[in-house]
Amino acid sequence: MTILSKESAQDVLVDVQNVKKYFPIKGGILKRTIGHLKAVDDVSFHIHKGETLGIVGESGSGKSTLGRVILRLLDPTEGSIQFSGTEISHLKRRHFRPYRRDMQIVFQDPFASLNSKMSVAELIEEPLLVQTSLTRLERKEKAIEIIEKVGLRAADRLKYPHEFSGGQRQRISIARALITNPKFVICDEPVSALDVSIQAQVLNLMKDLQEDLGLTYLFIAHDLSVVKHISDRVAVMYLGRIVEIADKHSLYSNPLHPYTQALLTSIPVIDTDENPAPKEEKIKLTGDLPNPANPPSGCTFRTRCPLAHDRCAVERPELTELEKGHFVSCHLYTQEK
Amino acid sequence: MQSNPQEIQPENPETNPNANKEKSNSPFQLALRRFLKNKMALISVFILLIIIILCILAPVFTDLDPEKTNLLLIEKGPSEEHILGTNGMGQDNFSRLLYGGRISLIVGLSAMFFTLVIGVVLGSIGGYYGGIIDNIIMRATDIMLMLPFLVLALTIMAIVDKVTIGLFVAIIALTAWPNLTRIIRGMYLSLREQEFVLGARAIGASDFRIIFKHFIPNAIGPIIVNATLMMATMIIAESALSFIGFGIPQPTPTWGNMISEAQNIRILRNHPEAWIPPGLGILVTVLAINFIGDGLRDAFDPKSNRR
């Protein structure tokens, strides 16, 4: 299944094809592998240069694992990952190292993702120290430049992370990720640990930086409203698979997969006289995410799907293009062969 | 959702207004400041320093050779020349006390140093890489922990003809490293899962850099605390072995073998000045080290319970 059409192939920066990440489950006295936890199960998508692909899903849907696999913080079990045309999924660690300049990550928890024993200057300059042969002075100059760009002061260089608030720490993380001039940044729920007011500030900062520096983002979140604000296209993940991927506008105005519909109707709306909440019926999801070590047969969503029918238990739905650029994996829209 | 980076400054009104003039402290400086507030620990540092100075500068405080025997002066009480009297071989107790302290401190310090080196190296390797290497190291610590210290020490001392300080240190370090190795490995296992370590990997930092710049600075507090407390037990181990006659042999003085002379009921009764000072030496040194260790623990981990 190739989502990629021929004409757009030139400006694709990241191309992920059939990537799987299975974690072995060890058991027994001899620690033999007795099963696999399918954190990411056959995921394919691509990201164009300069665009933001949002990935949403519940906790445990494999979205963070996917991000880590793309950055090779975890090794994929199967599949291909291409970064500007180079296959990186099976490069040795040593050979992959130069690519890390171009691919960076901003983590979720700004309190855990900065080494509290290092000063801001050390933290921000560390990527340069590791990746380049710049002198001390050059590193300092670049660090000051990026510190000011993310909205902190040059004087903050000498402070330590414990002296900053969550939002400021996330700015430090962003500065650290951007100092090597990467092309591609994975944002692993960068705002979900922050207060709502600060979320907006950090999101806007990330958007501004994207325009200034021509960045490409993979934006992971569990919050559809955050993703709507920043993304160009959105992929919805459920239990390690992409169930729907589409242009932001077409996904939000015309969600096709029942899971996406349920997620969208679950966004709370303030019901006022001028702006009444839509009266449409909410699709409520019951139950929890099934155990990814033992996923349901056929369509993995069928256990919670209000519209599930017999075929869903038997056959796994493929991701199919229903409208241009709008892919869904659901049997409701495909004919039985 | 309006913003540009300039307007967003006052996110944290508590720290920001005086951000420019305020001098910031590294976590290590903060720990040092907390330590300096701990009176008990400071007094202990002071006392330990006095003991160390007395032992190092022993020749300044006494002209007598601690190993020189004088059969005409056996078990004499305190006099002007021998302020703590002499022992059963006519050696001067005061100079033996000072020189003996050297041995105790050297044994404690160097055994701690070697334990620390072995523990940090093996603990780092096992905790960082995991897998088979970790398994081998952990099974080795299991085996070493099974060996009872006293029996092992007595056996080796019984086999070897001439017990030297080096051998002594080696035996103590050999039996003490598994504890520290396990502590360090345990800390690394939890550090390994932290996001900042993942972040260091994401920028392409080498294993060496991750261990030295990210793991050790975050584990240094408990490492120092454990090493300090371990030093106290090592000094006691030396004294205990010397006391039962399996320590550093005569004529080299140690606090342990000075006390062992008090096994003789005559000395125990009639010459308290011969065995009380070395006993006090051990007691005070070990107590001081323990208080310093506690102070360091409170300083590095302010959340640990305070009385």
Side-chain angles (χ1 to χ4, degrees):
Chain A
M1 156 189 61
T2 315
I3 297 176
L4 194 55
S5 50
K6 282 274 183 299
E7 60 268 44
S8 62
Q10 295 87 2
D11 65 337
V12 167
L13 185 67
V14 180
D15 187 13
V16 173
Q17 291 297 332
N18 307 92
V19 162
K20 296 177 183 173
K21 177 65 194 176
Y22 293 175
F23 292 102
I25 301 167
K26 310 262 186 186
I29 302 166
L30 295 173
K31 295 269 163 64
R32 277 182 314 170
T33 305
I34 53 169
H36 285 99
L37 189 143
K38 300 177 178 178
V40 176
D41 195 8
D42 203 356
V43 164
S44 305
F45 61 83
H46 62 271
I47 309 174
H48 297 280
K49 280 200 179 89
E51 104 173 320
T52 303
L53 176 70
I55 293 193
V56 285
E58 287 169 79
S59 330
S61 60
K63 46 195 197 312
S64 289
T65 307
L66 178 63
R68 283 164 198 199
V69 167
I70 294 173
L71 273 188
R72 292 293 305 279
L73 294 173
L74 295 168
D75 289 331
T77 312
E78 242 179 71
S80 117
I81 302 164
Q82 291 194 356
F83 182 74
S84 25
T86 323
E87 177 66 42
I88 55 165
S89 59
H90 291 93
L91 282 181
K92 289 225 169 65
R93 233 183 118 179
R94 188 156 42 92
H95 299 303
F96 183 67
R97 245 181 106 179
Y99 289 93
R100 296 205 181 276
R101 278 185 82 154
D102 291 333
M103 321 172 72
Q104 273 303 319
I105 182 161
V106 176
F107 288 103
Q108 170 178 13
D109 183 354
F111 293 89
S113 62
L114 298 174
N115 184 346
S116 58
K117 301 290 191 284
M118 288 165 89
S119 70
V120 172
E122 282 178 283
L123 283 166
I124 294 181
E125 289 172 23
E126 192 181 24
L128 292 178
L129 194 70
V130 169
Q131 290 284 354
T132 67
S133 50
L134 294 180
T135 62
R136 248 180 103 144
L137 217 66
E138 289 168 321
R139 289 202 302 268
K140 188 180 164 187
E141 273 170 27
K142 285 202 100 175
I144 290 178
E145 189 187 323
I146 199 89
I147 285 173
E148 284 173 349
K149 207 170 236 163
V150 298
L152 296 169
R153 296 173 205 197
D156 291 337
R157 288 176 70 247
L158 302 175
K159 293 196 188 173
Y160 286 81
H162 67 89
E163 296 171 85
F164 293 93
S165 66
Q168 290 173 318
R169 282 170 177 234
Q170 206 55 299
R171 285 167 197 269
I172 298 171
S173 294
I174 293 170
R176 187 175 145 93
L178 296 184
I179 195 160
T180 54
N181 287 325
K183 299 190 180 96
F184 176 55
V185 178
I186 293 182
C187 312
D188 189 357
E189 307 199 29
V191 297
S192 53
L194 306 177
D195 287 348
V196 181
S197 59
I198 293 165
Q199 280 191 4
Q201 292 171 357
V202 172
L203 281 180
N204 284 322
L205 170 70
M206 297 184 81
K207 256 191 145 169
D208 293 344
L209 289 170
Q210 181 173 34
E211 277 167 32
D212 286 359
L213 306 171
L215 298 171
T216 305
Y217 284 147
L218 176 68
F219 195 95
I220 300 168
H222 56 234
D223 182 340
L224 274 170
S225 44
V226 165
V227 170
K228 187 177 183 181
H229 182 63
I230 199 159
S231 308
D232 300 308
R233 286 190 304 134
V234 177
V236 180
M237 275 187 85
Y238 185 80
L239 216 65
R241 293 176 190 177
I242 290 184
V243 295
E244 184 163 6
I245 177 167
D247 186 51
K248 167 169 79 173
H249 301 291
S250 100
L251 187 107
Y252 279 81
S253 59
N254 182 25
L256 295 174
H257 198 280
Y259 182 60
T260 317
Q261 290 168 359
L263 284 182
L264 281 176
T265 52
S266 69
I267 299 178
V269 181
I270 299 171
D271 191 358
T272 58
D273 287 341
E274 302 99 72
N275 188 11
K279 290 282 176 280
E280 64 190 275
E281 208 169 306
K282 284 203 172 184
I283 303 178
K284 278 187 194 141
L285 288 184
T286 49
D288 278 330
L289 211 59
N291 181 1
N294 183 20
S297 62
C299 174
T300 46
F301 184 56
R302 71 179 163 82
T303 49
R304 297 165 76 189
C305 181
L307 307 168
H309 50 284
D310 298 344
R311 194 180 158 204
C312 299
V314 187
E315 201 182 317
R316 180 175 161 177
E318 292 289 329
L319 204 57
T320 19
E321 186 165 20
L322 289 188
E323 295 161 25
K324 187 172 170 11
H326 195 144
F327 296 81
V328 180
S329 88
C330 181
H331 286 314
L332 290 174
Y333 305 100
T334 52
Q335 296 300 314
E336 209 156 342
K337 280 158 208 156
Chain B
M1 293 216 175
Q2 79 307 320
S3 105
N4 76 52
Q6 296 314 312
E7 308 172 357
I8 320 169
Q9 285 299 340
E11 259 177 20
N12 189 341
E14 289 155 52
T15 59
N16 252 354
N18 47 6
N20 283 330
K21 47 193 171 189
E22 193 183 332
K23 185 147 178 354
S24 44
N25 292 299
S26 71
F28 193 77
Q29 287 168 315
L30 290 175
L32 185 71
R33 194 180 291 174
R34 279 192 293 269
F35 183 78
L36 292 180
K37 275 188 196 153
N38 187 331
K39 287 202 189 69
M40 210 59 191
L42 271 189
I43 294 171
S44 300
V45 169
F46 185 66
I47 291 175
L48 195 63
L49 273 179
I50 291 178
I51 294 174
I52 290 172
I53 289 169
L54 280 175
C55 295
I56 290 178
L57 300 181
V60 177
F61 297 103
T62 172
D63 305 325
L64 298 165
D65 181 351
E67 298 184 10
K68 187 166 176 271
T69 53
N70 184 347
L71 293 180
L72 297 175
L73 283 170
I74 286 175
E75 291 178 22
K76 285 281 185 282
S79 63
E80 226 167 85
E81 199 190 352
H82 305 285
I83 40 180
L84 293 178
T86 56
N87 68 1
M89 285 187 283
Q91 297 158 317
D92 176 56
N93 277 333
F94 182 66
S95 75
R96 286 180 74 75
L97 179 71
L98 296 188
Y99 285 94
R102 280 184 176 184
I103 307 290
S104 290
L105 290 172
I106 286 172
V107 167
L109 269 176
S110 44
M112 176 185 82
F113 176 76
F114 287 115
T115 310
L116 204 59
V117 170
I118 301 174
V120 167
V121 170
L122 291 183
S124 297
I125 293 173
Y128 184 79
Y129 291 101
I132 298 175
I133 310 171
D134 182 38
N135 245 318
I136 294 171
I137 292 173
M138 281 306 107
R139 294 301 78 75
T141 64
D142 285 345
I143 292 169
M144 290 310 297
L145 284 173
M146 271 168 16
L147 296 177
F149 167 71
L150 209 57
V151 176
L152 181 78
L154 294 185
T155 314
I156 294 176
M157 303 289 185
I159 297 170
V160 177
D161 293 336
K162 194 174 180 316
V163 179
T164 59
I165 298 176
L167 179 75
F168 213 89
V169 168
I171 292 170
I172 295 182
L174 195 71
T175 46
W177 70 267
N179 289 312
L180 201 64
T181 304
R182 293 197 146 213
I183 290 168
I184 293 170
R185 170 186 175 264
M187 276 188 298
Y188 277 28
L189 287 185
S190 72
L191 281 173
R192 204 167 60 166
E193 303 303 320
Q194 299 233 8
E195 271 187 351
F196 71 82
V197 173
L198 217 54
R201 277 208 193 119
I203 62 166
S206 59
D207 292 348
F208 189 79
R209 186 178 175 80
I210 292 177
I211 289 178
F212 280 89
K213 282 299 276 186
H214 296 276
F215 278 30
I216 290 185
N218 279 287
I220 194 78
I223 292 177
I224 290 181
V225 171
N226 280 297
T228 313
L229 297 178
M230 220 170 248
M231 186 177 155
T233 34
M234 286 164 177
I235 290 177
I236 293 182
E238 183 273 324
S239 308
L241 282 174
S242 295
F243 180 74
I244 53 174
F246 282 87
I248 317 277
Q250 294 275 15
T252 313
T254 76
W255 286 344
N257 63 26
M258 283 179 79
I259 297 177
S260 78
E261 283 160 15
Q263 282 172 336
N264 183 328
I265 195 80
R266 205 172 54 247
I267 294 179
L268 191 65
R269 271 205 194 139
N270 304 334
H271 295 287
E273 77 281 352
W275 54 267
I276 287 181
L280 272 179
I282 294 170
L283 181 80
V284 171
T285 307
V286 168
L287 255 177
I289 293 175
N290 275 325
F291 278 127
I292 293 171
D294 281 345
L296 286 172
R297 173 179 300 156
D298 288 346
F300 279 113
D301 181 13
K303 281 170 230 151
S304 67
N305 351 328
R306 290 251 174 107
R307 293 137 295 221

